[in-house]
Amino acid sequence: MEYTQLGRTGLKVSRLVLGTMNFGPQTTEADSHTIMDAALDAGVNFFDTANVYGWGENKGRTEEIVGSWFAKGGDRRDRTVLATKVYGNMGADGEAWPNHDKLSALNIRRAVDASLKRLGTDHIDIYQFHHVDRATPWDEIWQAIDVLVAQGKILYAGSSNFAGWHIAQANEAARRRGSLGLTSEQCLYNLMERRAEMEVIPAAQGYGLGVIPWSPLHGGLLGGVLRKQAEGGASRSTGGRAADALADPAQRAQIQAYEDLCGKHGLNPGDVGLAWLLTRPGVTGPIVGPRTTEQLESALRAVDLELSAEFLAALDEVFPGPGPSPEAFAW
């Protein structure tokens, strides 16, 4: 496994991030433990979760599964860089009770203590804002974070799904306070969805944030979905947003061209999608969310896959990026 610094920090993290969103809803607790053990054995030390994972009436269940894995000992917690998130409503039975969501100082204090309890740990390495809170001033947010850092409950703060100007706004507010500010941004970024290249990634690089792409295979669309369909294999990528994409002739043709290009070079499309992200400026590592150990093993291959300049250029022809800003939208 390869490691890199998380943005401008001294924290070393693996180039692949283990996403846990499927733990509970899709994967049993026992199988989730097996996947986490396999990831750690392979050198993956960066685990990502969120307080709302488990969803619905099972919100918090994923953090509990990670916590029960830590409780098995064997230096599991000590060897793991743990990231979780705050923002979603955690009211009982889905009740949208005031102050049980978003980024008020009250909710941050409540949410971090609840996450620590579910995770069975005394600290969270990276505490991430799952979404921007337009109603709460940054001075209030950073005051709450500074208190948690002083208490030793968290070490770093990160963002998720922020626009570029949100990153700038947050870190300028932190600078005025003498605080460290955001150290990472978790954003939607993959070959099919490259809008982050216009503003989000430049802002992250400018302020020294590590970039952690989520949905690196765009919900499975970059994982060889057309080939799997042709072979009669079951795929979870035939519903919702994926179904809409496959129903669009232009996007379907784009995906076919991608699979043909990968096939021409004897490469697995899923491996290529992850390996491409590892070549992108500013990217710390993509989040992979395996439901099985086999899916984890497949993702691990991407770290060792080297893509030639010629092949990268061919990928740009299939999935052209927006180009740098402001040139992407101005002269």
Side-chain angles (χ1 to χ4, degrees):
M1 178 55 59
E2 296 179 4
Y3 300 90
T4 188
Q5 307 295 127
L6 180 67
R8 66 189 185 283
T9 75
L11 186 66
K12 293 182 179 179
V13 294
S14 51
R15 295 297 317 271
L16 284 184
V17 184
L18 181 69
T20 63
M21 188 170 65
N22 289 318
F23 296 174
Q26 300 290 332
T27 307
T28 66
E29 181 170 358
D31 287 344
S32 299
H33 286 189
T34 299
I35 291 170
M36 287 187 279
D37 279 334
L40 204 61
D41 287 344
V44 177
N45 74 335
F46 196 179
F47 288 18
D48 176 75
T49 190
N51 60 354
V52 294
Y53 288 174
W55 311 110
E57 62 183 13
N58 294 313
K59 287 180 295 188
R61 178 59 183 144
T62 302
E63 285 188 331
E64 291 175 348
I65 290 173
V66 175
S68 65
W69 179 73
F70 285 148
K72 296 170 76 171
D75 292 329
R76 285 175 170 83
R77 177 63 187 96
D78 185 60
R79 296 170 63 195
T80 301
V81 175
L82 174 64
T84 192
K85 308 183 194 75
V86 57
Y87 182 87
N89 194 288
M90 295 295 289
D93 301 321
E95 184 179 10
W97 194 248
N99 301 312
H100 279 77
D101 63 357
K102 300 187 178 176
L103 303 179
S104 69
L106 176 59
N107 187 56
I108 288 175
R109 175 182 174 178
R110 175 188 290 117
V112 75
D113 285 341
S115 285
L116 288 170
K117 182 177 180 180
R118 287 189 292 267
L119 290 163
T121 186
D122 63 355
H123 75 283
I124 293 160
D125 298 306
I126 308 167
Y127 201 47
Q128 302 164 117
F129 310 128
H130 213 160
H131 196 278
V132 64
D133 183 355
R134 298 179 176 90
T136 305
W138 275 107
D139 279 341
E140 176 181 346
I141 295 170
W142 287 128
Q143 181 183 48
I145 294 299
D146 289 344
V147 169
L148 295 181
V149 171
Q151 291 174 335
K153 293 181 178 180
I154 71 170
L155 300 181
Y156 305 94
S159 58
S160 181
N161 305 307
F162 274 31
W165 79 273
H166 293 138
I167 292 172
Q169 184 183 45
N171 271 24
E172 289 301 328
R175 179 178 295 171
R176 290 193 297 269
R177 296 178 54 85
S179 302
L180 183 61
L182 299 174
T183 60
S184 62
E185 160 60 18
Q186 193 176 121
C187 60
L188 175 60
Y189 184 37
N190 55 58
L191 273 165
M192 291 188 70
E193 178 50 83
R194 296 180 61 172
R195 285 178 292 178
E197 293 176 357
M198 291 177 65
E199 299 276 1
V200 175
I201 293 175
Q205 289 183 283
Y207 282 97
L209 279 64
V211 175
I212 309 167
W214 62 266
S215 196
L217 300 183
H218 210 50
L221 289 172
L222 295 168
V225 62
L226 295 180
R227 184 196 66 203
K228 293 174 183 177
Q229 285 185 344
E231 294 173 350
S235 173
R236 70 184 181 96
S237 303
T238 55
R241 181 176 65 185
D244 293 339
L246 293 176
D248 182 289
Q251 291 191 67
R252 190 180 185 92
Q254 200 174 32
I255 295 168
Q256 185 65 66
Y258 171 66
E259 293 190 15
D260 290 345
L261 176 64
C262 294
K264 177 183 176 182
H265 290 266
L267 299 174
N268 180 286
D271 297 349
V272 170
L274 292 173
W276 176 81
L277 282 168
L278 292 171
T279 70
R280 303 309 298 164
V283 168
T284 300
I287 298 174
V288 296
R291 287 169 289 146
T292 65
T293 52
E294 290 76 18
Q295 289 179 344
L296 173 64
E297 291 168 359
S298 176
L300 289 169
R301 293 197 300 263
V303 178
D304 297 321
L305 180 59
E306 294 187 11
L307 304 178
S308 68
E310 178 185 10
F311 187 78
L312 290 171
L315 287 175
D316 282 337
E317 291 182 6
V318 177
F319 299 112
S325 60
E327 290 83 357
F329 50 81
W331 54 272

